[in-house]
Amino acid sequence: MAKRKVDTENRGFQTRWESEYMFTKVAGKPVCLLCGESVAVLKEYNLRRHNETKHADKNKNMDMEQRLQKAEELKRGLKSRQALFKKDKSQGQAAVKASFILAEEIAKSARPFTEGDFIKNCMIKVCDEVCPEKRQLFLNVSLSRNTIAERVDQLSINLKEQLVKKGKDFIAYSLAVDESTDISDIAQLSIFIRGVDSNLSVTEEFLALRPMHGTTTGHDLYEEVSRCVNEMELPWEKLVGLTTDGAPAMCGHRSGLVAKIREKMQEENATGELTAYHCIIHQEALCGKALKMEHVMSIITRTVNFIRAKGLNHRQFKAFLTELETEHGDLPYHTEVRWLSQGKVLQRCFELREEICLFLDSKGKDTTQLRDEMFLCEMAFLCDITSHLNAINLQLQGRDRVISDMYSTVKAFKTKLTLWETQMRKENLSHFPSCQTMKEKLSTSAFPSTQLADKIGMLAADFRRRFADFEAQKSRLELLGNPFAVDVESSPPNLQMELIDLQCNDALRAKYAAVGAAEFARFLPGTMPQLRIQAAQTLSMFGSTYLCEQLFSLMNLNKTSHRSRLTAEHLHSILRISSAQSLTPNIDELVEKMGHHQVSPSTSNK
C-alpha cells in the first residue's frame, strides 16, 4: 500500500477553528494563538488535541461569542508582532545596505577605512538637528574600520564574480600588462582585460594587481599572468592580443612575457596567433626623443629651476610678472615622467622669454644663451612640435579606445609630418606659430628652415620604425576601420565571399555611415560569421597600457606614506572598485546574502 502524502490531500484551514481551537493560519501552517506553537499536519484532530491538552483551562468558561472576541484580539496582537518584526528586519537591511554604499564611496575616493567613523559622527550630528527621532536608525549603521574593510572586500569579490561570469561568454579577449613600483618599493603588476562576447559587446575591466616581492624577470611576470588567467577561468585559445610597456622583461624574444605566453598557447594547442603590441602612447612619447634637442630643453629646465627652486626667487619673479601685467603669472615645473608637462613649460617660457631675461639680468645671471637667435628659433620649433606631439598623445588616451581608431590617428600624424617637412623646407610656417613669430623678429641671420625640416624628417622616420608592428597588422585594422574600402582580392580567402556580400549591401553601408566603425561591427549579420570573428578579435585588442598607467595613479593615491602598510588584498579590492567601468557591485544581492544580520548600536560605536 502506497504511503499517504499529506500535501496532496488538499486539506484547507477552516475559519471556525479560530474560535473553537484558538488557531490561525500563518505561512500555510496552523499556529496556536495562545502559545505560538505550530502543528505539523493541518488536521482538525491535531488542533483539537493540542487545545484540549495544553489550553483546556483557558477556554472552558467562555461562550462562543467570547471565544470569537478572544480569537480576534489574539490575531491582532500576532499581526502587530509580525509587522514589528518585518520593520526591524527592513531597518536592519537598510543599515547594512547603507554601510555597503558608504564603503564603496570611501574606496572610490581613496579615503582610509577609518574615515567611516568620521562620516558616522557627522551623520549623527546632522540627525540630532534634523530628525532626532531617527537617531537610533543612524546608530545602527556600522561604519567602523573593520566593517568598512570587510564591506570593501565583499564588494570586490562581487565584482570579480561578475567578471568571471562575463568571461565565460567571451569569444575573444586581450590583456594589457604593465609594471610599476609603489611607495613601499614593491613591484606591482597591473593586468587589464578587454573581452568581446558573441554579440560583439566589449567589456574592458581591471583583472588583477599582483605584488612582486622578488625579481621581475619575464618568467616571474608570466607566472603571475598565467595564474591570473587560470583563476578567472579564461581559455587560452581565445587570447588574441597582449599589449605591454615594451620593457625587455615583457618583450624579450626568448624569455620575455610575450614569448612565454606564446609557448603556453602552443602547449594548450591554441590555433590562433598571439599579436603583441608595444603601447602606442609609450612609443609616441619615445619618438619625441628622436629630435635630439636636449641641449635646448636642458637650458630651459635650468632656467625654470633657478626661478622655482628657491622661494625668494619664485616670489620675486611672480611679483615681477604682476608688475609688468603679463598674461601669465608664473612658470610651471617640468617633470620627465609627465610627458605633457614639457610642452606646457616650453610654451610658457617662449611667451615669457623677454620677461625671464630681464629677471635673470636683475639677478646678475648670464642670459647670452637665452637671447641667442639660433637658440630662440630652436626653442620656438621645439615648442610647436611638442604641442603637436601632445595633441596626438591626448587623442590616444582614454578608456574604450578601439585599436583601429588609434592606428588611424597615428597614420594621420605620419602624413602630417610629411606635409610639415615639405612646408618647412619652403619656409611655410602655417602650422608652426611660434616659429612664425621668431621669423618675423629675426634681425640678422636667416631662419634655419632646412635644419628644422631635417629634424621633422628624423621624427617621421622614427615614427615609421616604432610603429612597424602596427603597420604589419594594417589589413586587419583597416578591415574593422572601413570594411567597404578593403580590397577583396588581397584579403584572406575565408573572408572574401563575406566581404563581397557586405560591400554590395546598401543597407549595411548606410548603417556604417550612421553609426561609425566601432559600433558597426555589432550590426554584422549572423550570415557573416568569419567577419564577426575577425571583428571580435580586433575589437578586443588594447592599443595602449593607458588603463594600467591610470591604475598606478590610483594606487599612488591610496597607498601613500601615511597608508604604506595597506595590505595587498585591501589595495587590490580598493582598485577593483575604483577602476570598475561597465560593472557595478550588486549591493542588494550582498545584503540578501547576509540574511537577518543586523548590527547592534554597541557594535557600531566601537
Side-chain angles (χ1 to χ4, degrees), residues 558-571:
N558 283 277
K559 193 170 183 180
T560 63
S561 57
H562 300 292
R563 297 181 75 191
S564 59
R565 295 180 66 185
L566 186 68
T567 66
E569 292 76 14
H570 285 154
L571 178 62

Side-chain angles (χ1 to χ4, degrees), residues 165-433:
K165 186 177 179 181
K166 269 184 170 285
K168 295 183 186 299
D169 298 327
F170 290 161
I171 59 175
Y173 70 92
S174 295
L175 301 176
V177 182
D178 200 353
E179 181 259 328
S180 186
T181 305
D182 64 20
I183 191 71
S184 303
D185 289 332
I186 298 174
Q188 300 281 0
L189 185 68
S190 170
I191 310 170
F192 274 80
I193 184 171
R194 184 179 170 94
V196 181
D197 60 22
S198 56
N199 295 320
L200 297 186
S201 296
V202 179
T203 299
E204 190 177 77
E205 287 292 339
F206 168 69
L207 199 60
L209 182 75
R210 297 301 175 105
M212 306 185 70
H213 298 280
T215 57
T216 56
T217 63
H219 179 74
D220 298 324
L221 299 178
Y222 163 73
E223 288 294 326
E224 294 297 335
V225 173
S226 177
R227 190 178 299 114
C228 181
V229 170
N230 292 331
E231 283 178 6
M232 298 299 291
E233 302 175 19
L234 296 167
W236 286 97
E237 64 270 13
K238 293 180 181 177
L239 176 61
V240 296
L242 178 64
T243 303
T244 68
D245 62 355
M250 297 282 188
C251 300
H253 292 295
R254 294 184 179 179
S255 56
L257 173 64
V258 174
K260 292 287 184 182
I261 288 184
R262 281 177 173 153
E263 289 177 11
K264 176 65 176 179
M265 291 179 69
Q266 289 177 356
E267 292 174 9
E268 297 288 333
N269 297 318
T271 55
E273 176 67 24
L274 178 71
T275 303
Y277 289 114
H278 180 181
C279 170
I280 288 181
I281 300 177
H282 277 203
Q283 295 198 78
E284 184 274 334
L286 291 171
C287 284
K289 298 183 182 299
L291 293 169
K292 296 182 179 178
M293 300 186 74
E294 291 82 2
H295 61 288
V296 176
M297 201 62 216
S298 63
I299 294 172
I300 297 295
T301 303
R302 191 162 60 247
T303 302
V304 172
N305 287 345
F306 172 77
I307 295 172
R308 290 291 305 261
K310 292 184 179 180
L312 178 60
N313 287 350
H314 190 201
R315 290 193 301 272
Q316 290 176 339
F317 180 71
K318 289 196 292 184
F320 180 66
L321 293 180
T322 303
E323 183 182 339
L324 293 177
E325 297 182 350
T326 58
E327 181 181 353
H328 305 293
D330 201 0
L331 280 177
Y333 261 128
H334 165 51
T335 308
E336 187 68 24
V337 294
R338 296 186 177 180
W339 305 325
L340 301 182
S341 69
Q342 178 176 324
K344 295 176 182 178
V345 171
L346 282 166
Q347 185 68 37
R348 187 67 58 84
C349 285
F350 182 76
E351 292 172 354
L352 296 174
R353 59 191 181 280
E354 294 179 3
E355 291 82 358
I356 289 172
C357 287
L358 289 174
F359 180 76
L360 293 178
D361 286 340
S362 70
K363 289 289 183 179
K365 289 289 182 178
D366 182 20
T367 58
T368 306
Q369 285 182 311
L370 291 173
R371 296 180 187 276
D372 180 72
E373 290 185 343
M374 179 58 71
F375 170 80
L376 289 172
C377 289
E378 290 182 327
M379 177 182 171
F381 170 74
L382 189 58
C383 178
D384 287 333
I385 199 68
T386 304
S387 176
H388 290 311
L389 288 169
N390 284 356
I392 183 180
N393 192 294
L394 288 171
Q395 283 183 273
L396 295 171
Q397 292 183 25
R399 296 191 70 117
D400 299 318
R401 298 304 310 274
V402 180
I403 193 170
S404 57
D405 291 343
M406 299 177 78
Y407 169 74
S408 298
T409 301
V410 172
K411 187 169 68 171
F413 191 77
K414 288 192 290 186
T415 305
K416 291 175 184 178
L417 286 172
T418 303
L419 173 67
W420 294 337
E421 182 182 1
T422 303
Q423 290 181 335
M424 183 63 76
R425 293 191 187 281
K426 297 177 182 179
E427 295 194 10
N428 179 351
L429 305 176
S430 305
H431 304 288
F432 292 80

